[in-house]
Amino acid sequence: YQRRVHGGSYRVAHRILFDTHKELEAHKIRISSDLKRNLMLLHSYVIVKTLVKTMDDHETSARMLIRVAKNITKFPKHIVPILTSTIIECQRVGFKASAFEHASTLVGPEYRSKINEKYKKKIEMIVRKQGKEEMLDPEEPATPCPFCGAQTPETMLDCMNCKNTIPYCVATGKHMVLDDWSYCPSCHFPALYSAFQTLIKGDKQCPMCEQEVIPSTIKKVDNPQPRNFMSPDDEEENAGAEAAGGARAAPPLQAV
């Protein structure tokens, strides 16, 4: 896995982690939170193209790239191209603060010479605008945490109220919600029903397991059990946070 990541073969690395996850699950062996986190980060990156090309959802694409950019050391082979894509998508959807943050990183001495000439002037212009216009991102829409119901930004995967790690949708990378819950009929990873239907009509395969999915086989779940997707590591971490008065020892999976 590490060799594939460092070589820039993110799709192959994704498959390795997915296969490992399913094998451990089949043998009822504990799945570490590190494995789940690394799979989530890789998945957030590999779905960007589908979000843009198939679902025409540039806002969610930008948020997935922001998630990846905040963990850019996990993608050492393509730091500059990924940050460039993040800036472009953020500019497209009006995320000025995020575009400025990552543009500032790229124009620094470490990366400036590596920027594609096609985008270099545009990126430099974003940085020059500091102080000339307000640099803000729009407030992210919030949806209920499936554990406690607290309104949580839709791509945040940790509930700040109950401290639980929330399962994510394989189609969008957003956190799951109880009233729009479904599963991939092949790999059984969770997906937002409405988004998964839209994706499958255009792409015809699950982005997690890459198996063909027939739209009629996607069923909306009436009484989903989000705790079934928590690893023992998650449960121990959450219990520790509660014992400490709600403060978590580990950082959130994502904070856009």
Side-chain angles (χ1 to χ4, degrees):
Y1 154 72
Q2 290 290 349
R3 182 168 61 86
R4 296 296 187 179
V5 167
H6 284 283
S9 300
Y10 306 122
R11 175 62 75 176
V12 176
H14 179 282
R15 289 183 190 128
I16 291 170
L17 286 187
F18 169 74
D19 289 344
T20 302
H21 187 291
K22 296 305 291 183
E23 186 174 351
L24 292 173
E25 188 176 65
H27 289 89
K28 301 188 187 308
I29 298 173
R30 177 180 182 142
I31 303 170
S32 72
S33 56
D34 279 346
L35 190 155
K36 286 189 171 186
R37 176 185 172 82
N38 288 330
L39 178 58
M40 177 275 294
L41 286 172
L42 282 170
H43 193 72
S44 299
Y45 182 64
V46 301
I47 63 174
V48 166
K49 185 175 180 180
T50 304
L51 285 166
V52 172
K53 300 292 186 182
T54 304
M55 303 180 74
D56 193 28
D57 188 350
H58 288 275
E59 183 169 330
T60 304
S61 168
R63 294 196 186 280
M64 290 301 102
L65 284 166
I66 290 170
R67 179 186 287 169
V68 170
K70 288 182 180 297
N71 296 273
I72 197 62
T73 55
K74 298 277 190 181
F75 303 82
K77 182 80 170 179
H78 295 98
I79 289 176
V80 172
I82 290 173
L83 291 181
T84 300
S85 296
T86 304
I87 294 162
I88 292 168
E89 279 296 279
C90 286
Q91 276 288 98
R92 182 190 293 269
V93 296
F95 292 0
K96 294 182 179 180
S98 293
F100 173 77
E101 176 187 351
H102 299 299
S104 298
T105 299
L106 277 192
V107 299
E110 186 176 1
Y111 302 121
R112 192 185 195 106
S113 63
K114 301 174 184 177
I115 302 173
N116 188 316
E117 288 297 326
K118 180 180 177 180
Y119 304 109
K120 196 168 189 177
K121 287 186 178 179
K122 183 175 183 179
I123 290 170
E124 289 172 343
M125 185 63 68
I126 291 170
V127 176
R128 291 195 192 103
K129 286 182 179 179
Q130 183 186 21
K132 296 179 181 178
E133 61 181 63
E134 201 170 27
M135 295 289 182
L136 294 173
D137 287 353
E139 184 176 353
E140 182 174 2
T143 50
C145 166
F147 293 100
C148 69
Q151 291 294 312
T152 304
E154 59 186 6
T155 61
M156 181 173 283
L157 302 182
D158 281 322
C159 176
M160 301 308 291
N161 182 58
C162 67
K163 314 303 177 186
N164 280 312
T165 298
I166 309 174
Y168 60 92
C169 164
V170 298
T172 64
K174 298 176 182 179
H175 72 73
M176 294 296 293
V177 295
L178 293 178
D179 63 357
D180 196 29
W181 199 293
S182 68
Y183 299 98
C184 167
S186 180
C187 66
H188 305 292
F189 269 71
L192 294 168
Y193 177 80
S194 53
F196 201 37
Q197 284 282 1
T198 300
L199 169 68
I200 295 304
K201 286 175 183 175
D203 208 38
K204 303 191 187 310
Q205 69 174 24
C206 169
M208 180 61 78
C209 64
E210 301 180 87
Q211 297 300 307
E212 183 178 355
V213 176
I214 300 170
S216 62
T217 64
I218 303 171
K219 306 298 182 184
K220 199 169 185 179
V221 180
D222 291 330
N223 186 31
Q225 300 298 317
R227 289 195 179 277
N228 291 344
F229 293 88
M230 293 177 69
S231 68
D233 284 0
D234 294 332
E235 292 176 345
E236 289 173 10
E237 186 177 300
N238 294 338
E242 290 173 5
R248 295 192 74 172
L253 287 180
Q254 188 268 7
V256 172

